[in-house]
Amino acid sequence: MELIKHNPNIDFIKYRKVAVFGSLAVNLFVLILLAVRGLNMGVDFAGGSELEAHFTRPVSASDVRKAVESAGFKEPQVQEYGAAEEHAFLIRIGKVSIVTPEQASQVEAAVKSALGTDLADYRFDPDQGDKFEVRTKGGTDTKTAPDEKALRAAIEGKGVGVMGVTVKPEPNGQGFNVEITTRGVASKLETAFSQLNGTGTATANPNDEIIRRIDYVGPQVGKELRNRGIMAVVYAMVSILLYVFFRFDFRFAPGGVVALIHDVVVVLGYYVVSHREFNLIAVSVLLTIVGYSINDTIVVYDRIRENMQKLRGKDFPTIINISINETLSRTILTSGATALSLVGLLFFSVGSIWDFAMAMMVGIITGTYSSIYIASPVTIWLEEQFGRHGHLSGSSGNQKTAAA
């Protein structure tokens, strides 16, 4: 059964200038919006804390947001998570540590006072959360181990709450490592959530814990992750440029890369307009779209190369139009099948999975479009600009003969 007519003989090239100018306008709009509004960077890139909270009764996202703000955390991002009966939320806040510099100095003084000359090293990095790391001198004899209760009492005597003190011997036998965790972000929010949940106080039963998970990402780590994500996309595009150059011909490579840039910008536009969170999953979407888009473009390019051999005497735009028509059914069926799998995710998923599916859907649609109306017109334009001077002549003898 033929779902789509083979070679429908549609004059795609006729409208290439309208499509190119329209796409250029959309891309410029997205770039301007990107500069003015920016992306809603997630905890992965901006740094901060991400918590997963489960309540025992129905609460609204608005109530959760108010509870977070009442605990002193401004502009939290609250998103419903999982099935409705789980009453679960993902909460993102811009803070990793709530220990102030004054409190950090007080803890340092207390630790020095408690350990005296046994103190070898003291570290506190607010990017790593509300914890202090201490190393002592001497051996690992348990008799010389730091007194956990004395340390806790010394720190709490300075007015800083302590959640736990962990003492472990150094692997090299040169003293002990002490990790002191103060009552930080999770503890403060758990109190606020307990009141919202109706339990009054934070529960001590791990099975009934409201906050099930908390992840910290420091600003420096987030910046590094963001830069690496950008470089991953750039490297992918450069690699594809080189691949298309060696696989086909120089005239094809720019069209493929311009189409990729167009697709990446349009997907970024989805994140800018929707203000959905841009995180590592979004980078994976961009890399997937880059791969998907070039795959579709390669199919069209491959048919163009074949037709350049079979249809000698026809002008280049006609050959491209014939090639697009011959591959149209394959393009629609492939893109349609991929999109169908995403439709299920859009109907039944929430949170980051829904964001992934929607961004992928946008990328597949624009990737299919760009194979026809971006990559091919750029190739025609290069042929018109340079082919007549012989630099990129249409002679198939110059084509690379790499295997498909």
Side-chain angles (χ1 to χ4, degrees):
M1 183 175 66
E2 188 178 45
L3 295 176
I4 301 173
K5 182 182 178 182
H6 178 68
N7 197 4
N9 198 26
I10 301 172
D11 191 356
F12 290 103
I13 301 304
K14 179 180 179 181
Y15 304 103
R16 68 181 187 276
K17 291 184 179 178
V18 175
V20 167
F21 281 113
S23 300
L24 187 62
V26 170
N27 277 236
L28 283 175
F29 174 74
V30 170
L31 292 176
I32 292 172
L33 206 57
L34 188 64
V36 174
R37 190 177 185 184
L39 290 165
N40 177 22
M41 293 291 184
V43 172
D44 296 343
F45 295 150
S49 306
E50 182 180 270
L51 306 94
E52 180 183 332
H54 292 249
F55 296 86
T56 57
R57 68 182 184 87
V59 294
S60 68
S62 175
D63 291 337
V64 175
R65 187 175 294 106
K66 289 178 181 176
V68 176
E69 289 175 341
S70 69
F73 301 102
K74 297 179 180 178
E75 299 180 355
Q77 297 177 27
V78 179
Q79 182 178 352
E80 291 188 45
Y81 176 77
E85 60 271 17
E86 294 181 3
H87 316 306
F89 293 86
L90 277 179
I91 301 142
R92 299 178 181 89
I93 56 177
K95 285 188 176 181
V96 175
S97 170
I98 61 173
V99 175
T100 64
E102 291 77 16
Q103 289 175 321
S105 298
Q106 290 171 342
V107 171
E108 183 177 4
V111 169
K112 287 180 177 177
S113 174
L115 297 178
T117 56
D118 290 336
L119 179 62
D121 190 24
Y122 166 90
R123 285 182 296 171
F124 169 65
D125 184 354
D127 290 348
Q128 302 299 319
D130 296 301
K131 63 180 181 181
F132 299 81
E133 295 178 342
V134 178
R135 187 168 59 82
T136 63
K137 299 175 183 176
T140 54
D141 188 340
T142 54
K143 294 180 180 178
T144 63
D147 187 338
E148 296 180 20
K149 291 183 178 178
L151 270 173
R152 177 189 287 267
I155 296 170
E156 289 183 336
K158 297 291 184 181
V160 181
V162 178
M163 286 188 69
V165 178
T166 305
V167 178
K168 293 181 180 178
E170 282 266 24
N172 57 9
Q174 301 295 317
F176 288 87
N177 277 318
V178 183
E179 185 174 293
I180 304 161
T181 307
T182 60
R183 292 191 177 279
V185 174
S187 177
K188 200 168 184 179
L189 284 176
E190 195 164 72
T191 302
F193 290 162
S194 295
Q195 295 172 353
L196 180 63
N197 201 39
T199 54
T201 57
T203 177
N205 185 349
N207 295 326
D208 296 333
E209 285 181 348
I210 298 175
I211 298 177
R212 304 286 178 83
R213 175 178 64 85
I214 179 166
D215 295 322
Y216 301 106
V217 178
Q220 189 60 37
V221 175
K223 183 179 179 181
E224 187 175 339
L225 286 172
R226 183 181 63 219
N227 292 340
R228 290 191 177 191
I230 293 172
M231 292 311 299
V233 176
V234 172
Y235 288 150
M237 288 186 172
V238 172
S239 300
I240 287 170
L241 173 69
L242 295 174
Y243 168 74
V244 176
F245 172 71
F246 287 108
R247 171 70 171 79
F248 292 96
D249 191 293
F250 176 74
R251 87 191 75 177
F252 292 101
V257 173
V258 170
L260 291 183
I261 295 173
H262 167 271
D263 298 340
V264 168
V265 170
V266 171
V267 175
L268 283 176
Y270 159 72
Y271 282 102
V272 175
V273 172
S274 67
H275 216 51
R276 306 294 289 191
E277 185 176 299
F278 189 81
N279 50 25
L280 287 175
I281 294 178
V283 173
S284 70
V285 169
L286 293 180
L287 290 172
T288 305
I289 292 302
V290 165
Y292 179 86
S293 177
I294 196 62
N295 178 62
D296 205 39
T297 303
I298 289 293
V299 170
V300 177
Y301 277 179
D302 209 33
R303 185 58 60 91
I304 293 172
R305 190 178 63 170
E306 291 176 9
N307 285 338
M308 287 175 68
Q309 298 284 347
K310 293 192 301 184
L311 305 175
R312 291 177 181 274
K314 290 186 178 294
D315 59 80
F316 197 54
T318 301
I319 292 174
I320 287 184
N321 198 58
I322 292 172
S323 303
I324 293 173
N325 275 280
E326 289 178 351
T327 56
L328 186 64
S329 60
R330 180 265 177 204
T331 299
I332 293 175
L333 289 173
T334 304
S335 302
T338 310
L340 277 177
S341 65
L342 296 173
V343 169
L345 289 176
L346 288 174
F347 273 107
F348 298 109
S349 67
V350 294
S352 57
I353 301 298
W354 191 92
D355 292 342
F356 171 83
M358 178 54 78
M360 281 293 298
M361 182 67 81
V362 172
I364 287 173
I365 293 172
T366 189
T368 304
Y369 162 82
S370 67
S371 299
I372 298 172
Y373 278 116
I374 300 296
S376 298
V378 170
T379 306
I380 293 173
W381 181 81
L382 284 173
E383 179 67 16
E384 290 173 347
Q385 295 300 314
F386 301 104
R388 67 184 60 172
H389 301 296
H391 298 137
L392 296 173
S393 68
S395 63
S396 57
N398 290 336
Q399 297 174 37
K400 302 291 186 292
T401 55

